[in-house]
Amino acid sequence: MTIAEPVYTAGGPALPQERRLVTSIPGPRSAELAARKRDAVAAGVGTTMPVYATSAGGGVVVDVDGNSLIDLGSGIAVTGVGNAHPGVVKAIAEQAERATHTCFMVTPYEGYVAVAEALNRLTPGEHAKRSALFNSGAEAVENAVKIARAHTGRQAVVAFDHAYHGRTNLTMALTAKSMPYKKGFGPFASEVYRAPVSYPFRDGGMSGPDAARAAISRIETQVGADQLAAIIIEPILGEGGFIVPAEGFLTTLARWARENGVVFIADEVQTGFARTGRMFASEHEAIVPDLVTTAKGIAGGMPLSAVTGRAEMMDAVHGGGLGGTYGGNPVACAAALAAIDAFENDGLCEAAERIGEVITRRFSEIAGSDPRVGDVRGRGAMIAVEFVKPSTGEPDAALAARVAASAHTQGVIVLTCGTFGNVIRFLPPLTIPLELLVEGIDIVATALRDAAHDAGT
Ligand code: PLZ
C-alpha cells in the first residue's frame, strides 16, 4: 500500500526514509554492544530492543549495523518534532558555542525566561502564569506537588489508578504499578492516596461524571477535601495503557477541585506538545489546570521539564525554594525554543491528527474481525490497541509481547504499555512520512494476524 502524500517531511534530516534490514535484528555489532552493556551497565536498566542506534530522523532510527528501523516510539514520546530536527540542532550548536552552563540560580540567561514566557502563553487558560524549569518529568511532578503544598498549606495528594508519574521516591508513590517501577524500592512518600479513574473499556462504560463522583466520594471519605493539597492526573493515562477517561470525568474533577481549594495538576509530560493533535491534551475537553507539568517533547530530545501554573500558586513558594543545578540548562532551553517554534509553525498538530486517523482506521477494521483486539483508543499520534483473551475478556499480555517482538525483528520500533502489559502503543514522530507509517503498522497488523490464537481461550 503506497500513499504518496507525506504526513510531514519538511525540515527532516537527510536520512533515507525507508525500512532497510541488512542483518538480522539485532545485528552483530549490536550484539557486541549488548555484551558490553551486560558487563558495564547496571542490570536494572532495561532496553526494549537490543539494537544500538547511531542516528535518527524523520521516521527512522539507524543502527550500528546499518539497519534502518521504522520509529513508532519517538524515544517514548519525546521526538515529536523529529529526531535531530535541523532547527533544534542549529540552536543547540549555537548555544553550546556560547555557553553550556552558568546555572540559572547563579547568573541567569535569557533562554530560560523565553521558555517560561512560551509555556505561559501556550498552556491552557488566559490567566497570569509563571513557570519553573527542571530536568525530567519526575522532577517536574515533584515540584508541582511542592508548589501545591506551599500554596494550600495542606499535605495530601491524590493520584489515580493506572497513573504513571515517575521513578523518584515521591513519584513512585504517585505511580500505580508495582512491577517494575516500585517493587522492592519502598518505603514510599507518605500522604499519597489513590482514587479510581474512568477506564471506559474496563469499567462497564460508566459515564465520565459518574466515574468522577465515585473518585470524589473516595477522596472525601478517605482523605477529606480540607486535607488535600492537590489531585494529579494525566489527561490520557500513558504508561497505564493510553486510557482516555470518559468525557466529563476530567471536567467534573477539575470543578470539584476548584470548589474545594484543591490544586488540579495536569501531568502532560507524555501528552503535551502536539502529541494528541492539540498543543496540550487538556484542550480536548477545555480543561484549565491550575498547574501543568511538561517534559519529553518540549525540547526535541534534550532533557528539560517544567511546571507552569497560576501566578498566585507558583509565587506562593518562598524565594530560593525552587531550583536545581541544571534546571533550565541553556542548551536545553535553546533546543526548546526551536522545538516550540516547530510545534507552532510546522503543522505538527495537524500531522498528529492525521497519524491518529491512519492508525485508528486500520486497527478498528482489524478489531471488527479479530476478537483479540478488545479496544482501540487514544487521540492524535497517541493511539493504543488493547489485547484480550476473547473468551474471558482478560488482558492478554503474552500476545502484546509476541506482536511487539515480531515487529522488532522486522525492523519496527513499537512499545507496549498498560497496567496489565497487554497494550501496544503507537507514538511515532510527528514527522514520519505517511508511507513509512503505513508500512510500520502493516507489519504490526501482520504480526498480530500471524500470532497464534492462545490455545484454550
Ligand atoms: N509523567 C505522564 O509519562 C515518563 C517512563 C518510562 P521522566 N514516562 C516514560 C520509564 O519506564 O521510565 C513520565 C510520564 C508522565 C511523568 C513521567 C516521568 O518522566 O522524564 O521519565 O522522569
Side-chain angles (χ1 to χ4, degrees):
M1 181 176 181
T2 316
I3 297 171
E5 192 191 347
V7 169
Y8 172 76
T9 52
L15 280 180
Q17 295 298 299
E18 62 183 13
R19 183 175 67 107
R20 185 181 67 243
L21 298 185
V22 296
T23 69
S24 59
I25 300 288
R29 295 217 47 222
S30 277
E32 275 169 36
L33 285 163
R36 279 171 58 192
K37 172 189 179 273
R38 264 193 304 281
D39 291 339
V41 178
V45 182
T47 54
T48 303
M49 295 173 69
V51 165
Y52 283 72
T54 54
S55 48
V60 298
V61 173
V62 175
D63 77 6
V64 287
D65 292 289
N67 299 298
S68 175
L69 315 177
I70 299 177
D71 183 8
L72 301 183
S74 301
I76 321 190
V78 171
T79 54
V81 294
N83 219 306
H85 179 285
V88 171
V89 172
K90 186 161 171 280
I92 290 171
E94 283 174 6
Q95 177 57 47
E97 277 188 355
R98 286 200 301 275
T100 48
H101 174 83
T102 62
C103 187
F104 192 74
M105 300 185 304
V106 179
T107 50
Y109 36 86
E110 183 176 351
Y112 187 119
V113 178
V115 171
E117 288 167 347
L119 290 169
N120 297 348
R121 176 170 57 81
L122 289 171
T123 48
E126 298 303 314
H127 50 280
K129 293 177 208 153
R130 306 277 188 267
S131 289
L133 306 185
F134 305 98
N135 301 290
S136 66
E139 207 186 342
V141 170
E142 292 255 354
N143 279 280
V145 171
K146 283 162 67 171
I147 292 161
R149 285 176 170 161
H151 168 70
T152 57
R154 304 171 183 171
Q155 293 185 348
V157 181
V158 162
F160 289 83
D161 285 337
H162 309 288
Y164 184 91
H165 298 291
R167 294 176 183 261
T168 58
N169 189 263
L170 174 59
T171 60
M172 274 193 294
L174 296 167
T175 290
K177 189 174 174 176
S178 174
M179 231 349 234
Y181 308 120
K182 303 170 73 163
K183 189 183 170 196
F185 299 147
F188 303 112
S190 59
E191 288 305 312
V192 172
Y193 301 88
R194 196 163 306 286
V197 76
S198 163
Y199 187 166
F201 179 62
R202 294 204 170 269
D203 66 12
M206 199 189 295
S207 80
D210 282 353
R213 277 189 281 277
I216 289 164
S217 159
R218 174 85 62 88
I219 296 167
E220 286 179 336
T221 54
Q222 298 191 8
V223 188
D226 61 350
Q227 303 299 302
L228 187 57
I231 56 182
I232 180 163
I233 188 161
E234 305 149 81
I236 297 176
L237 292 89
E239 301 301 310
F242 285 20
I243 300 162
V244 185
E247 198 182 332
F249 180 77
L250 295 171
T251 48
T252 305
L253 273 182
R255 191 179 328 113
W256 177 85
R258 193 167 54 245
E259 287 165 2
N260 287 278
V262 172
V263 176
F264 184 87
I265 306 171
D267 182 349
E268 294 246 19
V269 164
Q270 190 155 166
T271 50
F273 296 102
R275 174 55 55 189
T276 69
R278 303 282 175 86
M279 199 57 88
F280 294 98
S282 297
E283 293 169 35
H284 291 284
E285 281 195 72
I287 310 284
V288 180
D290 297 314
L291 303 180
V292 181
T293 54
T294 52
K296 289 193 185 281
I298 187 173
M302 294 295 282
L304 185 72
S305 69
V307 183
T308 301
R310 294 185 188 280
E312 68 278 15
M313 294 183 182
M314 297 294 293
D315 288 343
V317 177
H318 51 276
L322 301 175
T325 305
Y326 294 112
N329 167 274
V331 181
C333 284
L337 293 171
I340 289 168
D341 181 67
F343 283 123
E344 285 199 273
N345 299 312
D346 289 358
L348 294 181
C349 284
E350 295 74 16
E353 292 259 345
R354 188 89 191 284
I355 288 168
E357 283 161 18
V358 169
I359 302 172
T360 306
R361 194 182 322 124
R362 184 67 200 272
F363 283 94
S364 299
E365 267 167 36
I366 293 171
S369 60
D370 187 339
R372 298 172 302 169
V373 177
D375 197 20
V376 181
R377 59 176 178 254
R379 292 192 203 272
M382 186 172 180
I383 302 292
V385 179
E386 175 160 357
F387 296 119
V388 297
K389 297 181 178 170
S391 54
T392 60
E394 278 173 80
D396 193 345
L399 179 59
R402 277 206 303 280
V403 172
S406 165
H408 294 165
T409 60
Q410 296 175 74
V412 178
I413 302 172
V414 70
L415 307 174
T416 59
C417 66
T419 297
F420 313 109
N422 64 325
V423 177
I424 287 211
R425 56 171 153 172
F426 298 98
L427 289 165
L430 309 179
T431 51
I432 191 170
L434 184 55
E435 54 274 33
L436 213 55
L437 173 68
V438 169
E439 186 180 345
I441 60 176
D442 267 347
I443 286 167
V444 175
T446 306
L448 172 62
R449 196 196 59 205
D450 294 346
H453 282 256
D454 225 35
T457 58

